[in-house]
Amino acid sequence: MDSVSTRDLVNGGYLPVYRDALRPGTAPEFDLYIECASGIVLYNSACTPFSGESHQALLDGGITRLYVAGRDRRAYHTYLEKHLSEIATDQSLTESVRAGIVYDCAKLLMEDLFARPTMGENIRRSQELVASTVGFVLTGRAAFESLLRVMSFDYSTYTHSVNVCALSIALAQYVGIRNPKDLKVLGTGTLLHDIGKTRIDDAILNKKGQLSEAEFEQVRQHPCWGHEILSSTDMIEKDSYLPVIQHHERENGTGYPLAIDGSGIHIYGKITAIADVFDAMTTQRSYRSAIDAYPALRSMFADQGAFDRNLLEQFARMLVPKKP
């Protein structure tokens, strides 16, 4: 059997994938590897049917992860997105496994989206991803709690976008917005809410010190730039622009870019603002350490007039683990 060294694996030459992301009866267009004592070895060649027997052998061996070579990353991504809807609602899989697969798929997609934000195909893929995420969250409270556990707490623009999307969909559902179409419209906007940052230099976004006035003015423009980028594709629903343009607006009118107050902020903007700030505070940044959920919420409640009080209270209740 072909093998490669574990050093190659550790150095990022191979992408770890969930066993349960592979659907028996399909023929993935990429090689699949498993790890063993000598390194990793080829388990299933590209375009060879992945049989039920192969899946059972992995189950019997306690193998939960396989690996895909870096050169096949895009092929794996395409495969995963094709089957994500059925995976997200597959009740034979645990919530934690489904959450991990949905989250991994979302991170991979966001890398592509931020690299090519005006590519129509990427926008379409983001909408399909949101539909799968909505389907998963609507399967029940345990699904959201599992998604919360797999969220990355080491900040990147990609993971932040995914986290804000998941938190926003969950909060909307928690406060009574349960129509899948409405949740998809909201989720698309929240997943794309920071797309305007693709026009800002990474040196500014990751700067450890205080931003200059000119640098901060660039940052303040990203909601407008996001609206412009998405408008150029003409592929998303009108209300999906609301999280993009309003996620930095504040109830007391101190936000940006329009400085509108709570009476002019749509509920989608209010929800996204809460999810955006909470995730930013609870993830590790290059210039600031993460804080725990409770201190983050306490700080948000102390920021009088910044957030919709009722929605913030509901958000705090939602985050409290349900007692068994």
Side-chain angles (χ1 to χ4, degrees):
M1 301 175 80
D2 296 337
S3 71
V4 294
S5 70
T6 303
R7 180 184 296 275
D8 290 334
L9 175 64
V10 172
N11 288 342
Y14 290 81
L15 177 72
V17 302
Y18 281 88
R19 173 197 65 209
D20 292 320
L22 305 165
R23 312 306 283 172
T26 62
E29 297 181 1
F30 44 86
D31 293 331
L32 286 166
Y33 297 86
I34 57 173
E35 188 173 10
C36 65
S38 61
I40 68 172
V41 297
L42 183 65
Y43 183 73
N44 198 82
S45 297
C47 300
T48 300
F50 181 73
S51 65
E53 290 78 8
S54 295
H55 186 262
Q56 188 60 49
L58 295 172
L59 284 170
D60 293 342
I63 297 172
T64 59
R65 289 275 191 167
L66 291 88
Y67 298 90
V68 173
R71 66 179 179 275
D72 289 329
R73 176 183 177 278
R74 186 163 296 280
Y76 169 68
H77 195 175
T78 300
Y79 174 90
L80 187 58
E81 289 183 27
K82 180 180 179 180
H83 297 284
L84 188 62
S85 179
E86 63 185 271
I87 293 170
T89 54
D90 186 347
Q91 298 293 323
S92 71
L93 304 179
T94 66
E95 283 89 356
S96 60
V97 166
R98 286 185 283 149
I101 293 171
V102 168
Y103 194 78
D104 279 359
C105 186
K107 287 190 297 181
L108 290 168
L109 170 59
M110 292 311 297
E111 289 184 36
D112 284 351
L113 190 59
F114 272 76
R116 291 173 290 276
T118 59
M119 184 176 176
E121 174 65 10
N122 286 343
I123 302 297
R124 181 193 63 76
R125 289 165 59 201
S126 71
Q127 292 171 320
E128 292 179 356
L129 169 73
V130 169
S132 296
T133 304
V134 167
F136 176 61
V137 171
L138 289 179
T139 61
R141 168 76 188 187
F144 166 66
E145 291 182 350
S146 295
L147 199 54
L148 195 62
R149 284 193 293 271
V150 301
M151 282 182 183
S152 172
F153 295 101
D154 189 11
Y155 182 92
S156 76
T157 304
Y158 314 130
T159 56
H160 175 66
S161 297
V162 178
N163 293 356
V164 171
C165 176
L167 290 168
S168 296
I169 290 172
L171 177 56
Q173 190 263 350
Y174 189 81
V175 299
I177 302 173
R178 297 192 175 90
N179 184 304
K181 184 178 184 297
D182 295 336
L183 292 173
K184 182 180 176 182
V185 168
L186 168 64
T188 298
T190 56
L191 189 68
L192 303 173
H193 80 284
D194 267 347
I195 203 72
K197 287 185 176 179
T198 58
R199 294 188 181 178
I200 303 175
D201 192 297
D202 284 345
I204 294 176
L205 294 176
N206 299 319
K207 185 175 179 180
K208 294 186 177 181
Q210 186 173 358
L211 296 179
S212 68
E213 185 60 36
E215 290 170 336
F216 186 57
E217 186 55 35
Q218 281 198 55
V219 172
R220 288 168 62 94
Q221 290 301 311
H222 81 267
C224 295
W225 287 337
H227 192 281
E228 287 179 15
I229 290 168
L230 294 172
S231 295
S232 72
T233 70
D234 194 29
M235 290 185 68
I236 67 173
E237 297 274 353
K238 180 183 70 172
D239 285 351
S240 289
Y241 289 100
L242 294 165
V244 179
I245 199 69
Q246 292 186 351
H247 66 278
H248 281 292
E249 300 293 353
R250 296 295 179 258
E251 292 291 304
N252 55 15
T254 60
Y256 63 85
L258 303 176
I260 55 178
D261 64 21
S263 63
I265 305 173
H266 192 275
I267 189 171
Y268 290 176
K270 295 170 187 276
I271 286 172
T272 312
I274 290 171
D276 178 60
V277 170
F278 178 80
D279 186 68
M281 295 179 73
T282 55
T283 50
Q284 189 75 22
R285 308 294 284 268
S286 60
Y287 51 85
R288 176 183 51 72
S289 297
I291 62 175
D292 290 335
Y294 179 73
L297 288 169
R298 185 170 56 192
S299 175
M300 292 171 71
F301 275 107
D303 194 354
Q304 295 291 331
F307 307 102
D308 182 289
R309 183 77 181 194
N310 177 59
L311 285 174
L312 186 57
E313 289 175 354
Q314 298 281 10
F315 184 70
R317 292 190 187 102
M318 180 186 77
L319 292 177
V320 176
K322 189 174 181 180
K323 294 181 179 180

